[in-house]
Protein backbone atom coordinates (compact mmCIF):
# COMPACT_ATOMS: atom_id res chain seq x y z
CA UNK A 1 0.00 0.00 0.00
CA UNK A 2 1.33 3.44 -0.99
CA UNK A 3 0.17 6.78 0.39
CA UNK A 4 -0.43 9.92 -1.67
CA UNK A 5 -0.78 13.54 -0.60
CA UNK A 6 -4.12 15.36 -0.89
CA UNK A 7 -2.25 18.20 -2.60
CA UNK A 8 -0.75 16.09 -5.33
CA UNK A 9 2.93 16.99 -5.43
CA UNK A 10 4.64 15.32 -2.44
CA UNK A 11 6.22 11.94 -3.19
CA UNK A 12 4.10 8.85 -2.50
CA UNK A 13 5.34 6.93 0.55
CA UNK A 14 4.94 3.51 2.10
CA UNK A 15 3.23 3.10 5.47
CA UNK A 16 6.43 3.45 7.48
CA UNK A 17 7.48 6.71 5.89
CA UNK A 18 3.94 8.17 5.92
CA UNK A 19 3.76 7.41 9.65
CA UNK A 20 7.10 9.03 10.43
CA UNK A 21 6.42 12.08 8.22
CA UNK A 22 3.01 13.05 9.64
CA UNK A 23 2.32 15.95 7.28
CA UNK A 24 3.18 15.70 3.55
CA UNK A 25 5.91 18.01 2.26
CA UNK A 26 3.46 19.89 -0.01
CA UNK A 27 1.31 20.81 3.00
CA UNK A 28 -1.24 18.07 2.24
CA UNK A 29 -2.28 14.99 4.20
CA UNK A 30 -1.44 11.39 3.36
CA UNK A 31 -4.24 9.01 2.29
CA UNK A 32 -4.00 5.45 0.93
CA UNK A 33 -3.84 5.36 -2.89
CA UNK A 34 -6.93 3.12 -2.88
CA UNK A 35 -9.35 1.87 -0.23
CA UNK A 36 -8.93 -1.82 0.55
CA UNK A 37 -12.24 -3.68 0.87
CA UNK A 38 -13.53 -6.56 2.98
CA UNK A 39 -16.15 -8.91 1.55
CA UNK A 40 -19.34 -9.64 3.50
CA UNK A 41 -17.84 -13.01 4.44
CA UNK A 42 -14.67 -11.39 5.75
CA UNK A 43 -16.70 -8.94 7.83
CA UNK A 44 -18.87 -11.78 9.19
CA UNK A 45 -15.69 -13.63 10.16
CA UNK A 46 -14.77 -10.80 12.56
CA UNK A 47 -17.60 -11.88 14.89
CA UNK A 48 -16.29 -13.05 18.23
CA UNK A 49 -12.66 -12.04 17.62
CA UNK A 50 -10.79 -10.15 20.33
CA UNK A 51 -10.23 -6.43 19.85
CA UNK A 52 -6.51 -6.95 19.17
CA UNK A 53 -7.20 -9.65 16.58
CA UNK A 54 -9.85 -7.46 14.89
CA UNK A 55 -7.34 -4.61 14.83
CA UNK A 56 -4.68 -6.75 13.17
CA UNK A 57 -7.12 -7.88 10.45
CA UNK A 58 -8.37 -4.37 9.67
CA UNK A 59 -4.88 -2.85 9.62
CA UNK A 60 -3.17 -5.56 7.54
CA UNK A 61 -3.90 -4.06 4.09
CA UNK A 62 -2.83 -0.59 5.26
CA UNK A 63 0.57 -1.53 6.68
CA UNK A 64 1.48 -3.56 3.58
CA UNK A 65 4.88 -5.19 3.93
CA UNK A 66 6.27 -2.68 6.45
CA UNK A 67 5.36 -5.06 9.31
CA UNK A 68 5.10 -8.85 9.35
CA UNK A 69 1.77 -10.42 10.36
CA UNK A 70 3.31 -11.59 13.64
CA UNK A 71 4.76 -8.17 14.43
CA UNK A 72 1.46 -6.45 13.73
CA UNK A 73 -0.49 -8.86 15.93
CA UNK A 74 2.03 -8.55 18.77
CA UNK A 75 1.85 -4.75 18.60
CA UNK A 76 -1.96 -4.82 18.73
CA UNK A 77 -1.84 -7.15 21.75
CA UNK A 78 0.63 -4.86 23.52
CA UNK A 79 -1.20 -1.61 22.72
CA UNK A 80 -4.66 -2.85 23.71
CA UNK A 81 -3.43 -4.90 26.65
CA UNK A 82 -3.06 -1.62 28.52
CA UNK A 83 -6.81 -0.94 28.46
CA UNK A 84 -8.72 -1.50 31.69
CA UNK A 85 -11.73 -3.23 30.09
CA UNK A 86 -11.31 -6.73 28.65
CA UNK A 87 -13.42 -5.75 25.62
CA UNK A 88 -11.15 -2.66 25.09
CA UNK A 89 -14.06 -0.66 23.56
CA UNK A 90 -17.26 -2.09 25.10
CA UNK A 91 -20.77 -1.32 23.82
CA UNK A 92 -23.39 -0.21 26.35
CA UNK A 93 -27.09 -0.23 25.45
CA UNK A 94 -29.08 2.85 26.49
CA UNK A 95 -32.54 2.09 25.12
CA UNK A 96 -34.14 0.17 22.26
CA UNK A 97 -32.19 2.05 19.57
CA UNK A 98 -29.21 3.77 21.16
CA UNK A 99 -25.81 2.48 22.23
CA UNK A 100 -22.61 4.01 23.59
CA UNK A 101 -19.26 2.76 22.34
CA UNK A 102 -16.96 3.42 25.30
CA UNK A 103 -13.59 4.48 23.92
CA UNK A 104 -12.18 5.82 27.21
CA UNK A 105 -10.79 2.74 28.94
CA UNK A 106 -7.17 3.56 28.03
CA UNK A 107 -4.54 5.01 30.37
CA UNK A 108 -5.52 8.71 29.98
CA UNK A 109 -9.32 8.37 29.89
CA UNK A 110 -10.07 9.64 26.35
CA UNK A 111 -10.41 7.95 22.96
CA UNK A 112 -7.07 9.38 21.82
CA UNK A 113 -5.42 6.46 23.66
CA UNK A 114 -6.86 3.95 21.17
CA UNK A 115 -4.72 5.37 18.38
CA UNK A 116 -1.79 6.76 20.34
CA UNK A 117 -0.96 3.62 22.32
CA UNK A 118 -0.51 1.92 18.94
CA UNK A 119 1.31 4.88 17.36
CA UNK A 120 3.86 4.91 20.20
CA UNK A 121 4.77 1.30 19.39
CA UNK A 122 4.91 2.06 15.66
CA UNK A 123 7.37 4.90 16.15
CA UNK A 124 9.61 2.72 18.30
CA UNK A 125 9.46 -0.19 15.84
CA UNK A 126 10.17 1.94 12.77
CA UNK A 127 13.05 3.81 14.42
CA UNK A 128 14.83 0.81 15.92
CA UNK A 129 18.03 0.18 14.01
CA UNK A 130 17.94 3.51 12.18
CA UNK A 131 20.03 6.47 13.26
CA UNK A 132 17.00 8.78 13.20
CA UNK A 133 16.00 10.45 16.43
CA UNK A 134 12.51 11.98 16.24
CA UNK A 135 11.60 15.25 17.88
CA UNK A 136 7.83 15.33 18.31
CA UNK A 137 6.46 18.82 18.78
CA UNK A 138 2.79 19.36 19.48
CA UNK A 139 0.22 21.69 20.98
CA UNK A 140 -2.69 20.35 22.97
CA UNK A 141 -5.92 21.52 24.52
CA UNK A 142 -5.59 18.52 26.84
CA UNK A 143 -6.45 15.07 25.54
CA UNK A 144 -3.93 14.57 22.73
CA UNK A 145 -1.07 15.74 24.95
CA UNK A 146 -1.80 13.35 27.79
CA UNK A 147 -2.39 10.38 25.46
CA UNK A 148 0.75 11.06 23.41
CA UNK A 149 2.93 11.50 26.49
CA UNK A 150 1.67 8.27 28.03
CA UNK A 151 2.34 6.44 24.76
CA UNK A 152 5.86 7.81 24.21
CA UNK A 153 7.28 8.19 27.73
CA UNK A 154 10.58 6.35 28.10
CA UNK A 155 10.73 5.17 24.48
CA UNK A 156 14.05 5.24 22.69
CA UNK A 157 14.80 7.38 19.60
CA UNK A 158 12.13 9.97 20.39
CA UNK A 159 11.66 13.10 22.47
CA UNK A 160 8.30 14.77 22.89
CA UNK A 161 7.79 18.49 23.49
CA UNK A 162 4.16 19.27 24.31
CA UNK A 163 2.86 22.82 24.56
CA UNK A 164 -0.32 23.51 26.53
CA UNK A 165 -1.95 26.86 27.25
CA UNK A 166 -1.16 27.81 30.85
CA UNK A 167 -4.24 27.59 33.08
CA UNK A 168 -6.59 26.48 30.27
CA UNK A 169 -6.51 22.71 30.60
CA UNK A 170 -8.32 20.85 33.39
CA UNK A 171 -6.35 19.77 36.49
CA UNK A 172 -6.72 16.14 35.51
CA UNK A 173 -5.48 16.84 31.97
CA UNK A 174 -2.48 18.88 33.16
CA UNK A 175 -1.40 16.36 35.79
CA UNK A 176 -1.71 13.49 33.31
CA UNK A 177 0.99 15.30 31.31
CA UNK A 178 3.18 16.97 33.92
CA UNK A 179 3.54 14.07 36.37
CA UNK A 180 5.21 11.93 33.71
CA UNK A 181 8.86 12.40 34.67
CA UNK A 182 10.55 10.31 31.93
CA UNK A 183 13.57 12.19 30.58
CA UNK A 184 12.26 12.22 26.98
CA UNK A 185 9.05 14.07 27.99
CA UNK A 186 9.13 17.87 28.00
CA UNK A 187 6.01 19.78 29.03
CA UNK A 188 5.78 23.46 28.28
CA UNK A 189 3.04 25.74 29.60
CA UNK A 190 2.67 28.66 27.22
CA UNK A 191 1.60 32.08 28.47
CA UNK A 192 -1.18 32.31 25.87
CA UNK A 193 -4.17 30.38 24.54
CA UNK A 194 -4.36 27.15 22.51
CA UNK A 195 -4.36 28.92 19.14
CA UNK A 196 -1.13 30.68 20.11
CA UNK A 197 0.49 27.40 21.12
CA UNK A 198 -0.67 25.81 17.86
CA UNK A 199 0.67 28.73 15.83
CA UNK A 200 4.08 28.36 17.53
CA UNK A 201 4.21 24.70 16.54
CA UNK A 202 3.31 25.49 12.92
CA UNK A 203 6.00 28.20 12.86
CA UNK A 204 8.61 25.65 13.99
CA UNK A 205 7.67 23.24 11.19
CA UNK A 206 7.79 26.10 8.67
CA UNK A 207 11.12 27.51 9.87
CA UNK A 208 13.81 26.07 7.59
CA UNK A 209 16.71 26.56 9.99
CA UNK A 210 14.86 24.88 12.87
CA UNK A 211 13.25 22.08 10.89
CA UNK A 212 16.51 21.17 9.16
CA UNK A 213 18.35 20.85 12.45
CA UNK A 214 15.95 18.31 13.97
CA UNK A 215 13.80 15.48 12.56
CA UNK A 216 10.43 16.95 13.52
CA UNK A 217 7.26 14.90 13.55
CA UNK A 218 3.67 15.24 14.66
CA UNK A 219 1.26 13.15 16.71
CA UNK A 220 -1.98 15.00 16.03
CA UNK A 221 -4.62 13.44 13.84
CA UNK A 222 -3.03 14.61 10.61
CA UNK A 223 -0.98 11.42 11.09
CA UNK A 224 -2.60 8.70 8.95
CA UNK A 225 -1.66 5.89 11.35
CA UNK A 226 -3.91 7.39 14.02
CA UNK A 227 -6.95 7.34 11.74
CA UNK A 228 -6.18 3.79 10.64
CA UNK A 229 -6.23 2.61 14.26
CA UNK A 230 -9.63 4.27 14.74
CA UNK A 231 -11.24 2.45 11.80
CA UNK A 232 -11.05 -0.73 13.88
CA UNK A 233 -13.72 0.12 16.44
CA UNK A 234 -16.34 0.91 13.80
CA UNK A 235 -16.01 -2.68 12.56
CA UNK A 236 -15.79 -4.08 16.08
CA UNK A 237 -19.03 -2.36 17.18
CA UNK A 238 -21.02 -2.89 13.97
CA UNK A 239 -20.26 -6.61 13.84
CA UNK A 240 -21.57 -6.96 17.40
CA UNK A 241 -24.80 -5.27 16.30
CA UNK A 242 -25.39 -7.52 13.31
CA UNK A 243 -23.16 -6.31 10.45
CA UNK A 244 -22.71 -7.25 7.65
CA UNK A 245 -26.40 -8.29 7.56
CA UNK A 246 -27.60 -5.16 9.25
CA UNK A 247 -26.84 -1.46 8.79
CA UNK A 248 -25.54 0.54 11.74
CA UNK A 249 -25.38 4.34 12.22
CA UNK A 250 -22.76 6.23 14.23
CA UNK A 251 -22.89 9.62 15.93
CA UNK A 252 -19.47 11.18 16.49
CA UNK A 253 -18.59 14.16 18.71
CA UNK A 254 -16.37 15.98 16.25
CA UNK A 255 -13.55 18.53 16.34
CA UNK A 256 -10.71 17.92 13.92
CA UNK A 257 -12.78 15.43 11.84
CA UNK A 258 -10.34 12.60 12.53
CA UNK A 259 -12.60 10.20 14.39
CA UNK A 260 -15.56 10.51 12.01
CA UNK A 261 -13.28 10.28 8.98
CA UNK A 262 -12.24 6.85 10.29
CA UNK A 263 -15.95 5.95 10.08
CA UNK A 264 -15.97 7.05 6.44
CA UNK A 265 -12.97 4.80 5.78
CA UNK A 266 -14.83 1.88 7.39
CA UNK A 267 -17.77 2.51 5.05
CA UNK A 268 -15.40 2.69 2.06
CA UNK A 269 -13.96 -0.67 3.12
CA UNK A 270 -17.41 -2.25 2.89
CA UNK A 271 -18.92 -1.87 6.36
CA UNK A 272 -22.70 -1.24 6.01
CA UNK A 273 -22.85 2.21 7.64
CA UNK A 274 -26.36 3.69 7.46
CA UNK A 275 -25.29 7.20 8.50
CA UNK A 276 -22.44 9.14 10.06
CA UNK A 277 -23.73 11.95 12.24
CA UNK A 278 -21.19 14.75 12.70
CA UNK A 279 -22.06 16.32 16.05
CA UNK A 280 -20.55 19.72 16.83
CA UNK A 281 -20.92 22.20 19.67
CA UNK A 282 -21.40 25.91 18.96
CA UNK A 283 -18.05 25.86 17.15
CA UNK A 284 -19.98 24.60 14.16
CA UNK A 285 -17.88 25.07 11.03
CA UNK A 286 -18.44 21.42 10.07
CA UNK A 287 -22.19 21.67 10.56
CA UNK A 288 -22.31 24.72 8.30
CA UNK A 289 -20.10 22.99 5.74
CA UNK A 290 -22.15 19.79 5.63
CA UNK A 291 -25.59 21.39 5.80
CA UNK A 292 -25.00 24.46 3.61
CA UNK A 293 -21.66 24.01 1.82
CA UNK A 294 -20.17 26.92 3.78
CA UNK A 295 -16.75 26.09 5.24
CA UNK A 296 -15.75 29.37 6.86
CA UNK A 297 -13.81 29.81 10.09
CA UNK A 298 -14.75 32.26 12.81
CA UNK A 299 -13.23 32.62 16.27
CA UNK A 300 -13.29 29.84 18.85
CA UNK A 301 -15.92 29.99 21.59
CA UNK A 302 -14.73 28.12 24.72
CA UNK A 303 -17.25 25.45 25.84
CA UNK A 304 -17.60 22.63 28.38
CA UNK A 305 -16.45 20.27 25.58
CA UNK A 306 -13.01 21.85 24.96
CA UNK A 307 -11.67 19.07 22.72
CA UNK A 308 -14.25 20.13 20.13
CA UNK A 309 -13.52 23.85 20.38
CA UNK A 310 -11.97 24.01 16.94
CA UNK A 311 -12.51 26.29 13.97
CA UNK A 312 -10.43 24.59 11.30
CA UNK A 313 -10.85 20.81 11.02
CA UNK A 314 -7.66 19.53 9.40
CA UNK A 315 -8.95 16.12 8.39
CA UNK A 316 -11.89 17.52 6.43
CA UNK A 317 -9.39 17.98 3.60
CA UNK A 318 -9.08 14.20 3.35
CA UNK A 319 -12.83 13.85 2.75
CA UNK A 320 -13.01 16.72 0.26
CA UNK A 321 -10.12 15.21 -1.66
CA UNK A 322 -11.70 11.77 -1.87
CA UNK A 323 -15.06 13.25 -2.94
CA UNK A 324 -13.53 15.47 -5.65
CA UNK A 325 -12.12 12.66 -7.80
CA UNK A 326 -8.80 12.82 -5.90
CA UNK A 327 -7.57 15.78 -7.93
CA UNK A 328 -4.56 17.00 -5.93
CA UNK A 329 -4.05 20.14 -8.03
CA UNK A 330 -7.65 21.26 -7.56
CA UNK A 331 -7.45 20.45 -3.85
CA UNK A 332 -4.27 22.50 -3.45
CA UNK A 333 -6.04 25.47 -5.13
CA UNK A 334 -9.13 25.08 -2.96
CA UNK A 335 -7.05 24.92 0.24
CA UNK A 336 -4.85 27.84 -0.78
CA UNK A 337 -8.06 29.86 -1.24
CA UNK A 338 -9.22 28.81 2.21
CA UNK A 339 -5.89 29.62 3.80
CA UNK A 340 -5.92 33.15 2.44
CA UNK A 341 -9.59 34.02 3.11
CA UNK A 342 -10.48 31.54 5.93
CA UNK A 343 -13.57 30.60 3.88
CA UNK A 344 -14.52 28.31 0.99
CA UNK A 345 -17.55 26.73 -0.69
CA UNK A 346 -17.83 23.00 -1.19
CA UNK A 347 -18.13 22.03 -4.86
CA UNK A 348 -21.36 20.29 -5.94
CA UNK A 349 -19.55 16.97 -6.14
CA UNK A 350 -18.22 17.41 -2.61
CA UNK A 351 -21.56 18.50 -1.15
CA UNK A 352 -23.51 15.70 -2.84
CA UNK A 353 -20.91 13.06 -2.04
CA UNK A 354 -20.87 14.06 1.63
CA UNK A 355 -24.68 14.15 1.86
CA UNK A 356 -24.87 10.50 0.76
CA UNK A 357 -23.34 9.36 4.05
CA UNK A 358 -23.04 12.28 6.48
CA UNK A 359 -25.56 14.40 8.34
CA UNK A 360 -24.58 17.03 10.86
CA UNK A 361 -25.99 18.79 13.88
CA UNK A 362 -25.01 21.63 16.19
CA UNK A 363 -25.79 21.08 19.86
CA UNK A 364 -26.31 24.05 22.19
CA UNK A 365 -25.00 23.95 25.79
CA UNK A 366 -28.52 23.55 27.21
CA UNK A 367 -29.23 20.48 25.07
CA UNK A 368 -25.85 19.04 26.04
CA UNK A 369 -26.64 19.35 29.76
CA UNK A 370 -30.15 18.00 29.24
CA UNK A 371 -28.69 14.95 27.49
CA UNK A 372 -26.25 14.33 30.37
CA UNK A 373 -29.26 14.35 32.72
CA UNK A 374 -31.28 12.05 30.43
CA UNK A 375 -28.42 9.53 30.23
CA UNK A 376 -27.92 9.66 33.99
CA UNK A 377 -31.54 9.44 35.07
CA UNK A 378 -33.21 7.47 32.27
CA UNK A 379 -30.42 5.14 31.18
CA UNK A 380 -28.22 4.96 34.28
CA UNK A 381 -25.07 6.16 32.48
CA UNK A 382 -22.91 9.10 33.53
CA UNK A 383 -21.48 10.63 30.35
CA UNK A 384 -19.01 13.44 29.67
CA UNK A 385 -19.87 16.67 27.78
CA UNK A 386 -18.34 15.53 24.47
CA UNK A 387 -20.27 12.27 24.50
CA UNK A 388 -23.43 14.19 25.41
CA UNK A 389 -23.12 16.27 22.25
CA UNK A 390 -22.91 13.10 20.17
CA UNK A 391 -25.84 11.51 21.97
CA UNK A 392 -28.03 14.63 21.69
CA UNK A 393 -27.48 14.63 17.92
CA UNK A 394 -28.11 10.87 17.71
CA UNK A 395 -31.40 11.03 19.58
CA UNK A 396 -32.88 13.70 17.33
CA UNK A 397 -31.47 12.43 14.02
CA UNK A 398 -34.75 10.73 13.12
CA UNK A 399 -33.22 7.48 11.89
CA UNK A 400 -35.55 4.50 11.26
CA UNK A 401 -36.32 2.62 14.48
CA UNK A 402 -34.71 -0.59 13.22
CA UNK A 403 -31.29 1.03 12.66
CA UNK A 404 -29.09 0.82 15.77
CA UNK A 405 -27.35 4.13 16.48
CA UNK A 406 -23.97 4.03 18.18
CA UNK A 407 -22.70 7.20 19.84
CA UNK A 408 -18.94 7.26 20.33
CA UNK A 409 -18.22 7.96 24.03
CA UNK A 410 -14.97 9.85 23.60
CA UNK A 411 -13.99 10.72 27.19
CA UNK A 412 -14.46 9.31 30.67
CA UNK A 413 -16.83 11.53 32.69
CA UNK A 414 -14.22 11.93 35.44
CA UNK A 415 -11.94 13.75 33.02
CA UNK A 416 -14.50 16.58 32.93
CA UNK A 417 -15.96 16.12 36.38
CA UNK A 418 -16.73 19.81 37.04
CA UNK A 419 -18.96 20.03 33.95
CA UNK A 420 -20.61 16.69 34.72
CA UNK A 421 -21.31 17.81 38.28
CA UNK A 422 -22.80 21.08 37.06
CA UNK A 423 -25.20 19.26 34.74
CA UNK A 424 -26.16 16.22 36.81
CA UNK A 425 -25.48 17.22 40.42
CA UNK A 426 -23.16 14.31 41.05
CA UNK A 427 -19.38 14.29 40.84
CA UNK A 428 -17.78 11.35 38.98
CA UNK A 429 -14.87 9.74 40.82
CA UNK A 430 -11.54 9.15 39.13
CA UNK A 431 -11.09 5.47 38.22
CA UNK A 432 -8.49 3.54 40.17
CA UNK A 433 -6.12 3.28 37.22
CA UNK A 434 -5.16 6.96 37.42
CA UNK A 435 -4.04 6.18 40.98
CA UNK A 436 -2.34 8.89 42.97
CA UNK A 437 -2.44 11.48 40.17
CA UNK A 438 -3.01 14.30 42.64
CA UNK A 439 -0.11 13.33 44.91
CA UNK A 440 2.53 12.96 42.23
CA UNK A 441 5.28 15.48 41.57
CA UNK A 442 4.73 17.74 38.55
CA UNK A 443 7.44 18.98 36.21
CA UNK A 444 7.04 21.55 33.44
CA UNK A 445 8.50 24.79 32.17
CA UNK A 446 6.48 27.95 31.74
CA UNK A 447 7.53 30.06 28.77
CA UNK A 448 6.48 33.26 27.06
CA UNK A 449 4.55 32.68 23.84
CA UNK A 450 7.39 33.72 21.56
CA UNK A 451 9.12 31.73 18.84
CA UNK A 452 12.53 32.63 20.31
CA UNK A 453 11.73 31.44 23.83
CA UNK A 454 10.22 28.15 22.74
CA UNK A 455 12.77 27.22 20.06
CA UNK A 456 15.67 28.07 22.38
CA UNK A 457 14.21 25.79 25.04
CA UNK A 458 13.68 22.93 22.61
CA UNK A 459 17.05 23.34 20.85
CA UNK A 460 18.87 22.97 24.17
CA UNK A 461 17.18 19.63 24.86
CA UNK A 462 16.45 17.96 21.50
CA UNK A 463 18.80 15.61 19.64
CA UNK A 464 20.09 17.14 16.39
CA UNK A 465 20.09 15.24 13.07
CA UNK A 466 23.10 13.10 12.27
CA UNK A 467 24.86 14.49 9.20
C1 LIG B 1 -10.24 14.88 20.34
C2 LIG B 1 -11.59 14.70 20.94
C3 LIG B 1 -12.77 14.83 20.17
C4 LIG B 1 -12.75 15.23 18.70
O1 LIG B 1 -12.22 14.25 17.88
P1 LIG B 1 -11.72 14.62 16.39
O2 LIG B 1 -11.06 13.39 15.89
O3 LIG B 1 -10.75 15.76 16.56
O4 LIG B 1 -12.91 15.02 15.61
C5 LIG B 1 -13.99 14.58 20.79
N1 LIG B 1 -14.05 14.27 22.10
C6 LIG B 1 -12.94 14.14 22.87
C7 LIG B 1 -13.09 13.81 24.31
C8 LIG B 1 -11.68 14.36 22.32
O5 LIG B 1 -10.57 14.24 23.10
Amino acid sequence: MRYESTRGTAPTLDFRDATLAGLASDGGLYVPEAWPTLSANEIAALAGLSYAETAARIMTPFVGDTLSADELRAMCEAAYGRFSHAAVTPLVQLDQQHFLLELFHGPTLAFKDVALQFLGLLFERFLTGSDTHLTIVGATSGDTGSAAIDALAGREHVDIFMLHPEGRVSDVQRRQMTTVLAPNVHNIAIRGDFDTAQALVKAMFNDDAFSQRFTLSAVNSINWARLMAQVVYYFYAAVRLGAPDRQVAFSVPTGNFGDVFAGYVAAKMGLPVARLIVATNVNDILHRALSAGDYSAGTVTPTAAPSMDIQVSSNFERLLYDLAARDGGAMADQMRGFESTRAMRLTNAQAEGAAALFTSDRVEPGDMSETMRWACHEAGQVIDPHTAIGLAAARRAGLPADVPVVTLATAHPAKFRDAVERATGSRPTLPGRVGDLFDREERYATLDATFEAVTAYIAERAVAKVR
Side-chain angles (χ1 to χ4, degrees), residues 110-112 143-144 221 226 230 252-260 307-308 310 315 384 386 410-411 416:
F111 87 93
K112 308 281 196 297
D143 291 337
T144 293
S221 58
R226 270 185 66 176
Q230 291 169 213
V252 186
T254 298
N256 219 3
F257 206 76
D259 209 3
V260 74
S307 300
M308 297 159 66
I310 276 183
N315 285 295
D384 100 290
H386 303 81
T410 50
F416 298 94

Side-chain angles (χ1 to χ4, degrees), residues 224 226-235 257-269 276:
W224 164 258
R226 270 185 66 176
L227 304 188
M228 173 191 74
Q230 291 169 213
V231 175
V232 175
Y233 47 71
Y234 286 90
F235 277 94
F257 206 76
D259 209 3
V260 74
F261 186 75
Y264 173 80
V265 175
K268 283 286 175 189
M269 292 175 72
L276 292 171

Side-chain angles (χ1 to χ4, degrees), residues 7 19-20 37 102 119 130 160 211 224 349 353 358 364 410 430:
R7 302 207 188 164
T19 300
L20 294 179
T37 54
E102 294 185 345
L119 188 67
S130 83
I160 178 164
S211 64
W224 164 258
F358 294 90
E364 302 293 328
T410 50
L430 278 172

Side-chain angles (χ1 to χ4, degrees), residues 11-72:
T12 66
L13 300 179
D14 68 5
F15 177 72
R16 173 190 184 275
D17 291 343
T19 300
L20 294 179
L23 197 69
S25 59
D26 56 7
L29 304 175
Y30 277 110
V31 289
E33 270 185 344
W35 300 118
T37 54
L38 269 67
S39 68
N41 282 341
E42 286 168 319
I43 295 172
L46 300 173
L49 297 184
S50 70
Y51 190 89
E53 181 63 36
T54 308
R57 292 216 190 168
I58 300 298
M59 293 182 195
T60 292
F62 293 110
V63 307
D65 56 11
T66 63
L67 295 171
S68 73
D70 287 347
E71 279 177 314
L72 177 61

Side-chain angles (χ1 to χ4, degrees), residues 114-443:
V114 179
L116 283 163
Q117 286 293 318
F118 185 73
L119 188 67
L121 297 175
L122 274 180
F123 277 145
E124 189 168 71
R125 164 65 183 75
F126 286 151
L127 292 170
T128 299
S130 83
D131 56 9
T132 305
H133 187 101
L134 275 195
T135 301
I136 308 259
V137 184
T140 183
S141 56
D143 291 337
T144 293
S146 47
I149 285 170
D150 186 277
L152 294 172
R155 295 200 185 281
E156 283 178 52
H157 312 289
V158 39
D159 275 281
I160 178 164
F161 293 85
M162 190 53 68
L163 280 56
H164 70 265
E166 184 186 24
R168 311 225 187 166
V169 299
S170 78
D171 283 6
V172 175
Q173 288 176 319
R174 189 191 71 249
R175 288 188 155 271
Q176 282 179 331
M177 297 190 278
T178 59
T179 62
V180 179
L181 303 180
N184 69 330
V185 171
H186 313 269
N187 279 290
I188 302 173
I190 289 292
R191 297 191 180 98
D193 59 14
F194 170 71
D195 286 339
T196 311
Q198 174 103 317
L200 285 166
V201 171
K202 283 209 179 118
M204 284 182 247
F205 277 86
N206 291 335
D207 185 80
D208 285 343
F210 191 76
S211 64
Q212 278 164 20
R213 215 166 129 202
F214 306 103
T215 307
L216 298 181
S217 188
V219 286
N220 54 11
S221 58
I222 59 170
N223 195 308
W224 164 258
R226 270 185 66 176
L227 304 188
M228 173 191 74
Q230 291 169 213
V231 175
V232 175
Y233 47 71
Y234 286 90
F235 277 94
Y236 187 73
V239 164
R240 271 159 186 74
L241 293 173
D245 301 327
R246 197 171 173 214
Q247 292 223 323
V248 179
F250 292 90
S251 180
V252 186
T254 298
N256 219 3
F257 206 76
D259 209 3
V260 74
F261 186 75
Y264 173 80
V265 175
K268 283 286 175 189
M269 292 175 72
L271 190 70
V273 175
R275 234 359 64 207
L276 292 171
I277 302 166
V278 175
T280 76
N281 62 21
V282 296
N283 297 291
D284 66 347
I285 180 169
L286 286 168
H287 175 52
R288 284 182 282 113
L290 291 166
S291 60
D294 164 31
Y295 189 78
S296 58
T299 52
V300 173
T301 305
T303 74
S307 300
M308 297 159 66
D309 292 346
I310 276 183
Q311 281 296 333
V312 178
S313 294
S314 318
N315 285 295
F316 200 47
E317 178 171 341
R318 287 187 157 112
L319 177 70
L320 296 180
Y321 173 73
D322 201 47
L323 293 175
R326 296 193 158 221
D327 180 341
M331 198 67 231
D333 287 343
Q334 198 178 10
M335 292 310 298
R336 259 196 299 276
F338 174 74
E339 279 154 14
S340 64
T341 61
R342 309 252 308 155
M344 68 187 183
R345 300 283 316 168
L346 269 55
T347 65
N348 286 345
Q350 289 166 336
E352 281 160 24
L357 191 59
F358 294 90
T359 50
S360 65
D361 200 354
R362 159 188 159 129
V363 177
E364 302 293 328
D367 293 334
M368 177 193 76
S369 299
E370 179 54 37
T371 304
M372 283 199 258
R373 285 191 286 277
W374 178 84
C376 186
H377 301 134
E378 304 300 323
Q381 293 295 319
V382 180
I383 60 174
D384 100 290
H386 303 81
T387 306
I389 287 170
L391 183 58
R395 292 184 70 227
R396 65 192 189 201
L399 289 162
D402 61 345
V403 174
V405 186
V406 177
T407 295
L408 304 198
T410 50
H412 192 290
K415 203 160 185 181
F416 298 94
R417 49 205 180 141
D418 294 340
V420 174
E421 186 175 8
R422 273 197 301 277
T424 65
S426 54
R427 189 167 179 79
T429 46
L430 278 172
R433 66 184 182 280
V434 303
D436 57 351
L437 188 65
F438 280 84
D439 301 324
R440 282 183 228 146
E441 179 194 343
E442 286 190 84
R443 193 179 66 206

